[in-house]
């Protein structure tokens, strides 16, 4: 069984500030972890993924995430927020041998000018 | 470029009508998925398929059906539309074994049941 918890349904940060979106997972098998971004009226776009290689994963648009097994976490960060980062972000988990993704409920990121 | 398309993008229908949402992918992926997205629930899996003639129920499959007659298409049918099925529907596909399971999403279909 797999599950994902995203802490904070809404996060606001000032332009230029650090972005931190939290994701904790539960998985009975070694997990594959994903962050997706959804802009208004669009589908989901893959930001980055962890598939048991390097624990620090770099993605598109300057985002990165660190897999911490001891904390069962996969938090998403970006050093300096840009107005174009305003969107909804989803964390998702699958497990080796199980190709279904289980999604969190999403975090809406607002950037304050 | 490979892509995944959905049609229609917007649909308004009446309670009790049968509705079919189309999903077409040119990735040549084995796996296809249908989700619904509702506020506060994230994405919930409706049905999925791991290949031609294979279909499986997801966590919210009641009132929905799918069939897979070829690699490219997985249409989603609402047998008798209900107001509770008003939602945004997303189709996704993935490459299967060796692909690390990342899914590629279509643009979505916004369905309103009146």
């Amino acid at each position: 069984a797999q599950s994902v918890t995203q802490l904070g349904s809404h996060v606001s940060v000032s332009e230029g500030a650090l972005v931190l979106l939290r994701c904790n997972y539960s998985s009975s098998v070694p997990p594959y972890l994903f962050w997706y971004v959804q802009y208004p009226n669009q589908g989901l776009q893959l930001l980055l993924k962890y598939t048991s290689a390097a624990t620090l994963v770099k993605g598109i648009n300057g985002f990165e995430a660190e897999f911490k097994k001891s904390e069962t976490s996969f938090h998403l960060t970006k050093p300096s927020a840009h107005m174009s980062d305003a969107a909804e972000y989803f964390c998702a988990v699958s497990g080796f041998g199980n190709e279904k993704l289980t999604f969190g409920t999403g975090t809406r990121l607002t950037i304050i000018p | 470029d490979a892509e995944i398309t959905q049609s229609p993008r917007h649909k308004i229908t009446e309670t009790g009508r049968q509705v079919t949402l189309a999903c077409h992918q040119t990735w040549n992926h084995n796996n296809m998925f249908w989700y619904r997205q509702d506020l506060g629930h994230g994405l919930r899996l409706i049905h999925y398929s791991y290949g031609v003639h294979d279909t499986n129920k997801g966590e919210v499959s009641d009132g929905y059906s799918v069939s897979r007659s070829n690699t490219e298409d997985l249409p989603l049918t609402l047998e008798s539309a209900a107001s509770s099925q008003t939602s945004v529907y997303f189709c996704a596909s993935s490459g299967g074994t060796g692909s690390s399971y990342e899914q590629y999403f279509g643009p979505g279909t916004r369905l309103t049941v009146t």
Side-chain angles (χ1 to χ4, degrees):
Chain A
Q2 303 159 165
S3 66
V4 169
T5 301
Q6 291 186 241
L7 297 176
S9 58
H10 292 85
V11 171
S12 296
V13 301
S14 297
E15 189 174 16
L18 172 72
V19 175
L20 171 61
L21 304 183
R22 299 179 186 273
C23 173
N24 289 89
Y25 71 91
S26 171
S27 178
S28 57
V29 297
Y32 292 170
L33 292 156
F34 307 84
W35 275 100
Y36 284 85
V37 60
Q38 183 181 32
Y39 299 103
N41 299 314
Q42 294 186 25
L44 278 71
Q45 177 183 0
L46 183 67
L47 265 181
L48 50 79
K49 62 183 180 183
Y50 166 78
T51 57
S52 74
T55 57
L56 181 62
V57 180
K58 295 188 183 299
I60 62 173
N61 300 339
F63 284 93
E64 63 182 35
E66 186 172 8
F67 172 70
K68 292 187 176 180
K69 184 177 179 180
S70 61
E71 299 177 7
T72 61
S73 68
F74 190 59
H75 302 331
L76 182 70
T77 60
K78 182 174 180 177
S80 178
H82 191 273
M83 295 300 295
S84 61
D85 295 327
E88 185 139 23
Y89 293 80
F90 292 93
C91 183
V93 62
S94 68
F96 183 78
N98 180 1
E99 299 179 44
K100 295 185 293 181
L101 294 185
T102 300
F103 285 86
T105 52
T107 297
R108 183 168 298 277
L109 177 65
T110 300
I111 310 299
I112 303 166
Chain B
D1 287 347
E3 61 177 355
I4 181 166
T5 57
Q6 294 183 236
S7 62
R9 293 294 312 279
H10 301 272
K11 175 77 175 177
I12 300 174
T13 192
E14 295 177 344
T15 302
R17 290 192 179 267
Q18 184 181 79
V19 177
T20 297
L21 309 183
C23 175
H24 180 79
Q25 53 100 0
T26 58
W27 291 96
N28 198 32
H29 284 162
N30 288 325
N31 308 329
M32 296 184 73
F33 307 83
W34 273 105
Y35 297 89
R36 60 177 289 172
Q37 183 178 25
D38 304 286
L39 198 62
H41 292 278
L43 277 81
R44 294 182 289 176
L45 184 63
I46 304 171
H47 282 286
Y48 59 103
S49 168
Y50 287 153
V52 177
H53 302 310
D54 175 74
T55 61
N56 305 278
K57 295 181 178 180
E59 63 177 308
V60 291
S61 61
D62 286 350
Y64 303 94
S65 64
V66 294
S67 63
R68 185 95 179 266
S69 59
N70 58 50
T71 299
E72 297 80 19
D73 299 289
L74 187 69
L76 177 71
T77 297
L78 287 67
E79 304 292 346
S80 177
S83 57
S84 60
Q85 294 176 309
T86 292
S87 186
V88 181
Y89 291 86
F90 288 99
C91 181
S93 68
S94 70
T97 302
S99 73
S100 72
Y101 307 161
E102 62 206 66
Q103 294 182 12
Y104 296 83
F105 282 79
T109 294
R110 183 175 297 274
L111 177 67
T112 302
V113 183
T114 62

